[in-house]
Amino acid sequence: REYLSSWQTSLLPEAVCSYCKNPAVNNVLGYFSRLAKDNGISIDISAKLQEPLIIPEPEFCVLLSNLLENAIEACQRQAGSSQIHVRLLQTCPSLLSLTVDNTFPEPPKWHNNSLQFEWKNGMFYVSVLLNPQGEDQFEA
């Protein structure tokens, strides 16, 4: 919550687009959309979420923020045009998919091949499928 509060005050009400009905997720998407555009990065967002989210809102917002922050950082390190595609889709009360894809000219350097993401033809793909068995696994 502290993480979200640290930048939420920098959002101007007129600058926030409505991507979904969840205010916290909407603010995260609005913040990073503005950050991307301010850096000349094309960003496309589609969010179709149901209430309630399938994991606690703070944890989901931190996950989403981290992915978007990484995507923007990768786009900033490249010359020429860059783009980010964000898709949030909750098809039922217990299944949510999240994808964040961004341009990146070179394949990432994996450390011990412990991460399984995809890079193809100048695009870096991250996909997360959330289907928790119970809320207790998300306790701090």
Side-chain angles (χ1 to χ4, degrees):
R1 290 182 182 167
E2 289 176 27
Y3 176 77
L4 295 174
S5 297
S6 69
W7 52 261
Q8 188 173 15
T9 56
S10 69
L11 288 175
L12 300 173
E14 66 274 6
V16 177
C17 294
S18 181
Y19 297 102
C20 66
K21 292 181 181 179
N22 182 292
V25 173
N26 197 59
N27 283 337
V28 169
L29 293 171
Y31 173 80
F32 283 101
S33 174
R34 191 176 94 195
L35 185 60
K37 290 174 185 174
D38 288 349
N39 284 278
I41 302 166
S42 171
I43 187 164
D44 175 46
I45 299 171
S46 173
K48 296 178 182 161
L49 299 176
Q50 298 177 9
E51 291 292 333
L53 291 175
I54 65 169
I55 66 171
E57 190 175 86
E59 284 87 344
F60 182 75
C61 287
V62 168
L63 171 64
L64 178 60
S65 296
N66 183 266
L67 293 173
L68 289 169
E69 189 172 43
N70 290 344
I72 289 173
E73 181 182 310
C75 287
Q76 288 174 323
R77 295 190 333 222
Q78 61 185 309
S81 65
S82 54
Q83 56 185 302
I84 299 172
H85 302 282
V86 180
R87 300 289 176 266
L88 305 172
L89 178 61
Q90 187 171 345
T91 56
C92 65
S94 63
L95 187 64
L96 189 151
S97 67
L98 160 62
T99 62
V100 177
D101 308 330
N102 61 274
T103 53
F104 196 68
E106 301 175 13
K109 297 185 179 17
W110 303 114
H111 299 286
N112 300 324
N113 291 325
S114 61
L115 298 175
Q116 299 299 316
F117 298 103
E118 183 179 0
W119 178 87
K120 185 177 178 183
N121 298 326
M123 205 65 180
F124 185 73
Y125 301 92
V126 176
S127 299
V128 178
L129 184 61
L130 300 172
N131 186 9
Q133 297 299 317
E135 290 184 313
D136 59 335
Q137 61 186 329
F138 292 101
E139 291 180 8

